[in-house]
Short mmCIF file of all heavy atoms in Angstrom, two decimals:
data_model
loop_
_atom_site.label_atom_id
_atom_site.label_comp_id
_atom_site.label_asym_id
_atom_site.label_seq_id
_atom_site.Cartn_x
_atom_site.Cartn_y
_atom_site.Cartn_z
N VAL A 1 -10.95 -3.12 1.61
CA VAL A 1 -11.83 -2.00 1.91
C VAL A 1 -11.22 -1.36 3.20
O VAL A 1 -11.27 -1.95 4.30
CB VAL A 1 -13.22 -2.41 2.09
CG1 VAL A 1 -14.14 -1.18 2.42
CG2 VAL A 1 -13.77 -3.13 0.86
N ASP A 2 -10.66 -0.14 3.04
CA ASP A 2 -9.79 0.42 4.05
C ASP A 2 -10.31 1.75 4.55
O ASP A 2 -9.99 2.77 3.97
CB ASP A 2 -8.40 0.61 3.42
CG ASP A 2 -7.34 1.24 4.35
OD1 ASP A 2 -7.57 1.14 5.56
OD2 ASP A 2 -6.40 1.83 3.82
N PRO A 3 -11.09 1.79 5.67
CA PRO A 3 -11.65 3.03 6.16
C PRO A 3 -10.68 3.98 6.88
O PRO A 3 -10.98 5.11 7.06
CB PRO A 3 -12.78 2.54 7.12
CG PRO A 3 -12.26 1.23 7.61
CD PRO A 3 -11.55 0.61 6.45
N LYS A 4 -9.48 3.48 7.24
CA LYS A 4 -8.53 4.28 7.97
C LYS A 4 -7.31 4.72 7.14
O LYS A 4 -6.45 5.46 7.57
CB LYS A 4 -8.06 3.53 9.23
CG LYS A 4 -9.14 3.38 10.24
CD LYS A 4 -8.77 2.41 11.38
CE LYS A 4 -7.47 2.77 12.08
NZ LYS A 4 -7.18 1.84 13.21
N GLY A 5 -7.25 4.26 5.92
CA GLY A 5 -6.16 4.63 5.03
C GLY A 5 -4.77 4.10 5.35
O GLY A 5 -3.79 4.68 5.08
N GLU A 6 -4.79 2.89 5.97
CA GLU A 6 -3.52 2.31 6.39
C GLU A 6 -2.97 1.29 5.41
O GLU A 6 -1.77 0.98 5.46
CB GLU A 6 -3.66 1.64 7.74
CG GLU A 6 -4.01 2.67 8.87
CD GLU A 6 -4.25 2.03 10.21
OE1 GLU A 6 -4.42 0.78 10.28
OE2 GLU A 6 -4.26 2.75 11.23
N ALA A 7 -3.80 0.83 4.51
CA ALA A 7 -3.36 -0.23 3.59
C ALA A 7 -2.34 0.22 2.56
O ALA A 7 -1.71 -0.60 1.89
CB ALA A 7 -4.56 -0.87 2.89
N HIS A 8 -2.23 1.55 2.39
CA HIS A 8 -1.24 2.06 1.33
C HIS A 8 0.19 1.63 1.75
O HIS A 8 1.07 1.67 0.95
CB HIS A 8 -1.34 3.54 1.20
CG HIS A 8 -0.84 4.31 2.34
ND1 HIS A 8 -1.62 4.70 3.40
CD2 HIS A 8 0.40 4.86 2.64
CE1 HIS A 8 -0.91 5.38 4.29
NE2 HIS A 8 0.33 5.49 3.87
N GLY A 9 0.39 1.18 3.01
CA GLY A 9 1.68 0.69 3.44
C GLY A 9 2.11 -0.55 2.64
O GLY A 9 3.28 -0.88 2.55
N LEU A 10 1.16 -1.23 2.01
CA LEU A 10 1.50 -2.35 1.16
C LEU A 10 2.27 -1.96 -0.06
O LEU A 10 2.91 -2.80 -0.76
CB LEU A 10 0.23 -3.10 0.70
CG LEU A 10 -0.51 -3.90 1.79
CD1 LEU A 10 -1.94 -4.25 1.31
CD2 LEU A 10 0.27 -5.18 2.11
N LEU A 11 2.24 -0.69 -0.43
CA LEU A 11 2.88 -0.20 -1.65
C LEU A 11 4.39 -0.05 -1.50
O LEU A 11 5.06 0.09 -2.50
CB LEU A 11 2.28 1.13 -2.11
CG LEU A 11 0.75 1.12 -2.26
CD1 LEU A 11 0.26 2.50 -2.68
CD2 LEU A 11 0.32 0.07 -3.26
N SER A 12 4.88 -0.04 -0.26
CA SER A 12 6.35 0.15 -0.12
C SER A 12 6.89 -0.84 0.98
O SER A 12 6.19 -1.27 1.87
CB SER A 12 6.62 1.60 0.28
OG SER A 12 5.94 1.94 1.50
N ASN A 13 8.19 -1.07 0.88
CA ASN A 13 8.89 -1.86 1.84
C ASN A 13 9.32 -1.00 3.02
O ASN A 13 9.11 0.21 3.04
CB ASN A 13 10.15 -2.48 1.21
CG ASN A 13 9.83 -3.39 0.09
OD1 ASN A 13 8.96 -4.30 0.21
ND2 ASN A 13 10.56 -3.25 -1.04
N ALA A 14 9.83 -1.63 4.09
CA ALA A 14 10.19 -0.88 5.31
C ALA A 14 11.23 0.19 5.02
O ALA A 14 11.24 1.23 5.71
CB ALA A 14 10.74 -1.90 6.34
N ASP A 15 12.07 -0.02 3.99
CA ASP A 15 13.08 1.02 3.66
C ASP A 15 12.62 2.09 2.72
O ASP A 15 13.36 2.91 2.28
CB ASP A 15 14.35 0.32 3.11
CG ASP A 15 14.06 -0.42 1.80
OD1 ASP A 15 12.86 -0.35 1.27
OD2 ASP A 15 14.99 -1.06 1.25
N GLY A 16 11.28 2.03 2.41
CA GLY A 16 10.70 3.09 1.52
C GLY A 16 10.71 2.75 0.06
O GLY A 16 10.14 3.49 -0.73
N THR A 17 11.38 1.68 -0.33
CA THR A 17 11.39 1.30 -1.75
C THR A 17 10.04 0.67 -2.15
O THR A 17 9.37 0.10 -1.24
CB THR A 17 12.55 0.28 -2.04
OG1 THR A 17 12.36 -0.85 -1.20
CG2 THR A 17 13.88 0.95 -1.74
N PRO A 18 9.67 0.73 -3.41
CA PRO A 18 8.40 0.13 -3.81
C PRO A 18 8.37 -1.40 -3.55
O PRO A 18 9.35 -2.11 -3.76
CB PRO A 18 8.35 0.40 -5.33
CG PRO A 18 9.30 1.56 -5.54
CD PRO A 18 10.38 1.43 -4.48
N SER A 19 7.22 -1.85 -3.09
CA SER A 19 7.09 -3.25 -2.71
C SER A 19 7.01 -4.14 -3.97
O SER A 19 7.31 -5.28 -3.95
CB SER A 19 5.86 -3.47 -1.83
OG SER A 19 4.68 -3.23 -2.61
N GLY A 20 6.47 -3.56 -5.04
CA GLY A 20 6.27 -4.35 -6.25
C GLY A 20 5.09 -5.28 -6.16
O GLY A 20 4.90 -6.08 -7.12
N LEU A 21 4.27 -5.22 -5.13
CA LEU A 21 3.13 -6.06 -5.04
C LEU A 21 2.12 -5.68 -6.11
O LEU A 21 1.92 -4.48 -6.32
CB LEU A 21 2.47 -5.95 -3.65
CG LEU A 21 3.31 -6.54 -2.51
CD1 LEU A 21 2.65 -6.19 -1.16
CD2 LEU A 21 3.42 -8.10 -2.65
N PRO A 22 1.44 -6.62 -6.72
CA PRO A 22 0.48 -6.34 -7.82
C PRO A 22 -0.88 -5.85 -7.33
O PRO A 22 -1.84 -6.61 -7.35
CB PRO A 22 0.39 -7.72 -8.51
CG PRO A 22 0.57 -8.70 -7.42
CD PRO A 22 1.55 -8.08 -6.44
N ILE A 23 -0.91 -4.63 -6.86
CA ILE A 23 -2.10 -4.08 -6.29
C ILE A 23 -2.19 -2.60 -6.65
O ILE A 23 -1.17 -1.87 -6.65
CB ILE A 23 -2.20 -4.29 -4.77
CG1 ILE A 23 -3.60 -4.01 -4.26
CG2 ILE A 23 -1.13 -3.49 -4.04
CD1 ILE A 23 -3.88 -4.55 -2.85
N ILE A 24 -3.41 -2.10 -6.98
CA ILE A 24 -3.60 -0.70 -7.32
C ILE A 24 -4.39 -0.04 -6.17
O ILE A 24 -5.45 -0.60 -5.75
CB ILE A 24 -4.37 -0.55 -8.63
CG1 ILE A 24 -3.55 -1.13 -9.79
CG2 ILE A 24 -4.70 0.93 -8.92
CD1 ILE A 24 -4.26 -1.07 -11.12
N ALA A 25 -3.88 1.06 -5.68
CA ALA A 25 -4.52 1.78 -4.59
C ALA A 25 -5.36 2.99 -5.10
O ALA A 25 -4.81 3.80 -5.89
CB ALA A 25 -3.50 2.23 -3.57
N PHE A 26 -6.60 3.08 -4.68
CA PHE A 26 -7.42 4.24 -4.99
C PHE A 26 -7.62 5.03 -3.73
O PHE A 26 -7.90 4.48 -2.63
CB PHE A 26 -8.80 3.76 -5.54
CG PHE A 26 -8.75 3.17 -6.91
CD1 PHE A 26 -8.37 1.87 -7.10
CD2 PHE A 26 -9.06 3.90 -8.03
CE1 PHE A 26 -8.33 1.29 -8.40
CE2 PHE A 26 -9.03 3.42 -9.29
CZ PHE A 26 -8.63 2.12 -9.47
N GLY A 27 -7.61 6.32 -3.84
CA GLY A 27 -7.76 7.25 -2.69
C GLY A 27 -6.49 7.92 -2.29
O GLY A 27 -5.46 7.66 -2.95
#
Protein backbone atom coordinates (compact mmCIF):
# COMPACT_ATOMS: atom_id res chain seq x y z
CA VAL A 1 0.00 0.00 0.00
CA ASP A 2 1.94 2.93 -1.43
CA PRO A 3 0.70 6.47 -0.68
CA LYS A 4 3.73 8.20 -2.27
CA GLY A 5 3.95 6.25 -5.52
CA GLU A 6 7.52 5.06 -4.96
CA ALA A 7 7.01 1.29 -5.11
CA HIS A 8 6.84 1.28 -8.91
CA GLY A 9 10.64 1.24 -8.71
CA LEU A 10 10.29 -2.50 -8.07
CA LEU A 11 9.25 -2.90 -11.71
CA SER A 12 12.68 -2.07 -13.12
CA ASN A 13 16.36 -2.63 -12.39
CA ALA A 14 18.87 0.18 -11.82
CA ASP A 15 19.72 0.17 -15.55
CA GLY A 16 16.06 0.62 -16.53
CA THR A 17 15.48 -2.93 -17.71
CA PRO A 18 12.39 -4.79 -16.39
CA SER A 19 13.01 -6.43 -13.03
CA GLY A 20 10.87 -9.43 -13.85
CA LEU A 21 9.54 -9.51 -10.29
CA PRO A 22 6.11 -11.20 -10.10
CA ILE A 23 4.08 -8.17 -9.05
CA ILE A 24 1.31 -6.14 -10.70
CA ALA A 25 1.18 -2.39 -10.09
CA PHE A 26 -2.09 -0.46 -10.04
CA GLY A 27 -2.14 3.33 -10.32
